[in-house]
Amino acid sequence: MAKFEIPPPPTKFLQLSYPAPRVVLATMSRPKDLNCMNTSAHWEMDAFWKWLDLEPSLTVAIITGSGRAFSAGADLKEWDNSMADDADPKDRLGNAPAFKPLSRRLGKKPVIAAVNGLSMGAGTEFAVNCDLVVASENAYFALPEVKRGVSPIGGALPRIIRTLGLQRASEFALTGRNVSAQEMHAWGLVNSVVPLPKLIDEAVKYATMIAENSPDAIICTRAGLREGWESASVERAVEITLEREFAALQRGENILEGLKAFTEKRKPVWKASRL
């Protein structure tokens, strides 16, 4: 059992293990729900990332999923319930949260995404903001929010512009189509693609290479990389869109229709945009 200066937070959604010195592996564990994330899971992850940065014995984290999914993203049924007529508008899942999810995490220490299968919505937004991404050969990525009347507002949009460029980012986000691990490797989002049985070993290999270096130097070097990536602030771009376009989207009819259609397992019937 690893010894820590600060005890890890209690976890239910995340299963924690320690596959190498200075490395923690966090496995999302709602396989029957494709590791989609409800509010309690987000709060749990928020506590975990804060602990990672504070615990001096750890240098790098790996995040992966259990079952056939990395993560299907937000719990859309919970989101749909939060949009009900009798629900408090302050509690809507699309509102800016009191915490920053992994998709908007700044943090001090690097995180490696080990994408083991489907990665949709917030799952893909998580991967976009990870420092390295390894993927299994069967993995695929998508931002399908436009098909649900929502928008991928968790932080990915300005970040994929930086990583993929305008045209590829537009293709990815505006079509909502599935993009294979191999294509994402060619596009530059994925560092390596390996057979599924070798995925965690590949992630641990990268993590070990990082963890073998100076913890201070890793934090400093990562900060420099992030500062360069976020010049002309990515975060401000997220905040502006949240405050402007996404606030208007939340007041519209199509978000209600898209979420309701998902819950009722039917095709949505869109209304003309009033944004």
Side-chain angles (χ1 to χ4, degrees):
M1 180 69 178
K3 293 183 179 180
F4 303 112
E5 206 172 283
I6 302 168
T11 57
K12 184 177 179 181
F13 176 65
L14 295 177
Q15 299 297 314
L16 305 184
S17 58
Y18 307 91
R22 310 192 69 82
V23 177
V24 57
L25 170 63
T27 302
M28 295 179 281
S29 58
R30 290 182 74 194
K32 291 182 180 179
D33 297 303
L34 302 179
N35 301 318
C36 72
M37 292 161 285
N38 55 22
T39 301
S40 62
H42 277 296
W43 277 110
E44 182 180 308
M45 294 182 77
D46 179 61
F48 171 72
W49 301 122
K50 289 175 179 174
W51 173 71
L52 170 68
D53 281 339
L54 292 172
E55 172 51 47
S57 70
L58 295 173
T59 297
V60 57
I62 300 167
I63 185 164
T64 193
S66 57
R68 67 186 183 90
F70 178 68
S71 175
D75 188 330
L76 292 187
K77 291 182 180 178
E78 184 185 44
W79 197 341
D80 183 34
N81 290 336
S82 79
M83 300 293 290
D85 291 338
D86 58 352
D88 190 332
K90 296 193 301 296
D91 296 330
R92 289 180 173 179
L93 262 64
N95 294 340
F99 56 84
K100 286 190 178 180
L102 177 58
S103 58
R104 294 179 65 191
R105 173 184 176 264
L106 302 176
K108 296 191 301 182
K109 298 176 183 177
V111 178
I112 299 171
V115 181
N116 57 297
L118 72 87
S119 178
M120 310 285 279
T124 289
E125 295 202 80
F126 280 7
V128 166
N129 195 36
C130 282
D131 300 277
L132 285 81
V133 180
V134 297
S136 58
E137 291 172 336
N138 62 305
Y140 60 91
F141 301 78
L143 293 173
E145 284 87 345
V146 291
K147 297 178 181 292
R148 305 285 179 250
V150 194
S151 177
I153 202 64
L157 295 179
R159 288 173 169 88
I160 59 174
I161 287 289
R162 305 293 173 87
T163 302
L164 304 182
L166 175 62
Q167 285 72 29
R168 283 174 171 166
S170 297
E171 176 184 345
F172 187 40
L174 296 179
T175 66
R177 75 174 180 91
N178 297 343
V179 179
S180 70
Q182 293 78 5
E183 192 168 2
M184 276 302 190
H185 182 257
W187 282 8
L189 182 70
V190 171
N191 294 80
S192 65
V193 180
V194 296
L196 179 59
K198 296 182 179 180
L199 178 67
I200 299 303
D201 287 344
E202 182 77 355
V204 171
K205 180 189 79 173
Y206 279 112
T208 300
M209 291 170 63
I210 293 169
E212 287 175 347
N213 297 315
S214 160
D216 290 350
I218 292 302
I219 289 172
C220 181
T221 301
R222 181 183 181 274
L225 292 167
R226 290 275 166 163
E227 186 67 28
W229 194 41
E230 295 189 8
S231 296
S233 176
V234 169
E235 269 301 292
R236 184 58 188 146
V238 174
E239 290 168 359
I240 288 169
T241 310
L242 271 172
E243 294 163 1
R244 192 173 56 197
E245 287 84 359
F246 196 72
L249 182 150
Q250 290 246 94
R251 294 192 295 269
E253 295 178 276
N254 281 327
I255 187 171
L256 298 171
E257 169 62 13
L259 293 169
K260 185 65 67 180
F262 175 83
T263 300
E264 296 172 357
K265 299 181 179 180
R266 61 174 174 81
K267 289 186 176 182
V269 180
W270 305 123
K271 301 285 182 67
S273 176
R274 301 299 180 205
L275 268 63

